Amino acid sequence: PETELLLYENRLRAAIAQDALDIVFQPQVDLRTGLIVGAESQLRWRDSDLGAVPVEKAIAAAESAGLVNEVTLWLVNGALRNCRHFRDAAGLDLRVGVKLSAKSLRQSDLPDFVSSALKTWNLRPSRLVLEITETAILARSLESVETLQQLRAVGVRLCLDDAGAGYDALSWLVTLPFHELKIDLAAVGNVAEVPQKLALVRSLIDLAHELKLEVVVAGVEDEATRAILKQLRCDLAQGPAIGAPLAAAAFIKQHRSD
């Protein structure tokens, strides 16, 4: 309902102003070496009145309040700040991923912001992975495609993360300057038990590798699936079988390189 949305919008404005949003980090492992090489940042919003707000509701409030840009910039900066902290506090030289709707690419100053945030935290650009979702918009928005190309020029990694993109869309999207393809098993289904699902994931991995893209598979629930993905030459994996999303301090405690 509209009144509820309005409440969420106002609380979100306050949360951004008071720096009261949080980020949790889900580890990504390199299946070839078994080492943790990255973490995907995920927004968490715990409000004193509303409690833990589901991320979908937070994004909906951000969109309707015209706060998507603020949340995006806050998230990118927070991810990079923690990336630096992981390195200094725990010797973890990781890449951090941030999910962005392709709509955010309409923000023409995004490449400049990203560039200066990388300088602020003194990080190599390739430490940041921008995971682009809702990519259908790229077919209609030349400015978004230009922003994508400028981000590539800055040196950040670009990951195509769109479970909804069909095969046709995929063949077009890979002509854009992406470095990686992300496959979410939550959208695909159980590759360990359904041969058709396995065939689909295999063909996606092969296609991506042929196009010189790295493959990240999310939603890896168990060891059997992890083993299958390793056989299929998937590059990186994340999900419950790899590690739960954790706040920065807990992430360091769990994964610090001793």
Side-chain angles (χ1 to χ4, degrees):
E2 228 158 274
T3 46
E4 187 193 58
L5 194 57
L6 197 63
L7 169 68
Y8 277 84
E9 286 175 22
N10 291 332
R11 301 293 300 177
L12 182 61
R13 272 197 192 89
I16 294 170
Q18 296 154 12
D19 205 17
L21 297 171
D22 285 312
I23 306 177
V24 292
F25 296 89
Q26 182 162 40
Q28 294 176 327
V29 78
D30 184 324
L31 289 177
R32 294 156 297 203
T33 62
L35 298 174
I36 286 181
V37 291
E40 186 198 307
S41 327
Q42 298 169 2
L43 180 69
R44 289 289 185 272
W45 175 20
R46 184 170 277 291
D47 184 273
S48 52
D49 296 347
L50 304 170
V53 180
V55 75
E56 296 75 28
K57 274 198 171 170
I59 298 300
E63 287 186 343
S64 64
L67 292 169
V68 170
N69 293 354
E70 284 86 340
V71 172
T72 297
L73 301 183
W74 180 88
L75 199 52
V76 167
N77 189 61
L80 291 175
R81 183 181 73 230
N82 279 290
C83 182
R84 179 69 213 212
H85 179 56
F86 292 154
R87 197 171 83 192
D88 294 347
L92 289 165
D93 187 16
L94 304 178
R95 40 178 262 163
V96 289
V98 178
K99 265 196 205 319
L100 292 190
S101 162
K103 288 182 206 134
S104 308
L105 299 174
R106 287 177 169 159
Q107 226 174 321
S108 56
D109 59 351
L110 185 63
D112 289 341
F113 176 86
V114 166
S115 192
S116 69
L118 286 162
K119 286 194 185 80
T120 299
W121 300 110
N122 193 17
L123 291 165
R124 304 196 301 284
S126 60
R127 296 291 81 187
L128 177 63
V129 184
L130 295 177
E131 305 180 2
I132 311 298
T133 66
E134 297 176 76
T135 51
I137 195 176
L138 295 174
R140 303 188 300 277
S141 168
L142 201 57
E143 57 187 337
S144 300
V145 173
E146 268 172 28
T147 304
L148 207 56
Q149 282 156 344
Q150 287 167 348
L151 286 163
R152 169 128 186 172
V154 166
V156 302
R157 289 183 69 80
L158 298 171
C159 176
L160 170 54
D161 176 11
D162 198 339
Y167 209 77
D168 314 340
L170 206 57
S171 55
W172 172 74
L173 286 164
V174 293
T175 64
L176 295 174
F178 288 103
H179 299 89
E180 306 175 3
L181 174 68
K182 190 169 215 180
I183 302 167
D184 190 349
L185 295 184
V188 175
N190 191 333
V191 293
E193 288 170 16
V194 185
Q196 296 89 330
K197 308 287 188 193
L198 179 61
L200 174 66
V201 170
R202 176 187 284 119
S203 62
L204 284 171
I205 291 174
D206 290 347
L207 171 70
H209 283 161
E210 220 152 284
L211 296 162
K212 305 282 185 281
L213 297 175
E214 268 205 313
V215 180
V216 185
V217 174
V220 181
E221 295 275 347
D222 51 52
E223 283 306 316
T225 304
R226 178 181 172 150
I228 287 169
L229 291 170
K230 188 175 177 180
Q231 267 180 341
L232 296 180
R233 301 194 349 275
C234 166
D235 303 293
L236 306 185
Q238 71 184 73
I242 310 297
L246 297 169
F251 186 94
I252 285 175
K253 205 170 161 187
Q254 178 98 26
H255 301 296
R256 67 178 319 137
S257 57
D258 295 316

